[in-house]
Amino acid sequence: MNAKTFIIGLGTGLIAGTAAVLFTTPQSGKELQQTIKDRKISANEVKDEFKGRLQSIKDSIDMIKNEAKTTLPSTMAALKESVATFQEETAPNQERLKLHLEELQKAANDISVEIDTLKKRQTKE
């Protein structure tokens, strides 16, 4: 539901409710006129309060948008810089790990060859 539909529905409901109360209440003409004036004033106060709250919400949204526009780019830049620094600092360690993994793989292959050789000797004997 969008805000425009909600506001139209709210206004229509307020008008219909007010009219129903006014026309079903047994009052004299002057009392009815005074009641209508009072209800009109009350409705205007509610409308003004609603407009004020709506404007406050719009202002808050605008403030959040502006903060996001100013803060987000600098935060992203700082984050990118941190990631780049991390990558630079860990590059030597990554290379060492890669070399160690290659050495471990070679050692595992050598052990596998040794095991195969031992198995072959045992089967010959």
Side-chain angles (χ1 to χ4, degrees):
M1 175 189 307
N2 63 30
K4 185 177 181 181
T5 305
F6 176 75
I7 292 170
I8 290 172
L10 181 64
T12 304
L14 286 173
I15 292 169
T18 302
V21 168
L22 290 175
F23 293 121
T24 59
T25 305
Q27 296 177 337
S28 69
K30 289 197 184 253
E31 290 174 337
L32 182 59
Q33 286 177 354
Q34 185 59 44
T35 302
I36 290 173
K37 286 179 186 177
D38 292 343
R39 299 289 171 132
K40 182 180 177 185
I41 291 169
S42 177
N44 285 336
E45 289 173 353
V46 170
K47 179 186 76 169
D48 291 342
E49 181 179 343
F50 185 75
K51 281 183 178 179
R53 288 185 181 183
L54 188 61
Q55 186 60 45
S56 175
I57 290 169
K58 287 179 180 179
D59 292 344
S60 296
I61 290 171
D62 288 341
M63 184 179 71
I64 290 170
K65 283 181 183 177
N66 289 335
E67 284 185 23
K69 285 179 183 177
T70 58
T71 305
L72 198 55
S74 62
T75 302
M76 290 303 293
L79 183 60
K80 286 179 182 178
E81 184 179 329
S82 294
V83 169
T85 301
F86 174 78
Q87 288 175 338
E88 289 174 9
E89 290 175 353
T90 59
N93 291 335
Q94 289 175 3
E95 277 301 314
R96 279 196 298 261
L97 285 173
K98 185 178 177 182
L99 291 174
H100 286 298
L101 286 173
E102 289 172 357
E103 289 173 2
L104 285 172
Q105 184 65 40
K106 185 178 181 294
N109 288 340
D110 290 347
I111 290 173
S112 178
V113 168
E114 281 292 322
I115 290 173
D116 289 342
T117 304
L118 288 173
K119 283 182 181 179
K120 286 179 183 176
R121 282 185 192 167
Q122 286 179 352
T123 56
K124 286 183 181 178
E125 291 177 0

